[in-house]
Amino acid sequence: MELADAKKNIQTLSKTLATKSVSQVENQKIKIKFPFNICVLGEVSETSQIRKDLNNYFEKFGVNATKWSIDFFNNKKLQNSNILSSLYKGRSRYSLIITVQIFLHSGKGNEKANIISEIENDKYIPHCVGCNPKDLLTPSKVIKVIDEFVRKPRP
């Protein structure tokens, strides 16, 4: 009798755990519009590793690589081009700006002397700070920032 009861308990537990795992994954669905394009302003550590880790991150939610992209604009590109004009709400192909290690805070097209102060203006798409300005953006930090952004409730 004890063996039969133990088998029933194991079957019940396995069904409960399987159901719980499915519901937890459903609760983890991300709420973003596709295509989800990310713009990183500043210096990063490893662009290829960041792309690889982001691909793994989005795959967990069933989002294939054609529905998201990430572009990196290092300090030299920031200084020599008007990146900010491509980040206006309603006109930008990007969904999120991540700022990281920026050496020269003024660039072409910004009205304020500081790029971070400029993109906090309501006319720009959402902005997140990727890491301390003294540090390079690492793959783990970018995953953390994007995860917080996609899980944050929106009005």
Side-chain angles (χ1 to χ4, degrees), residues 109-123:
N110 60 328
E111 297 166 8
K112 298 181 181 177
N114 188 319
I115 289 175
I116 296 174
S117 297
E118 176 71 20
I119 61 177
E120 287 177 350
N121 189 326
D122 285 340
K123 66 183 178 182

Side-chain angles (χ1 to χ4, degrees), residues 30-49:
I30 53 178
K31 297 175 180 125
I32 53 174
K33 293 181 183 177
F34 295 103
F36 184 68
N37 300 313
I38 306 155
C39 174
V40 178
L41 303 178
E43 298 296 326
V44 299
S45 61
E46 307 168 41
T47 57
S48 60
Q49 188 63 43

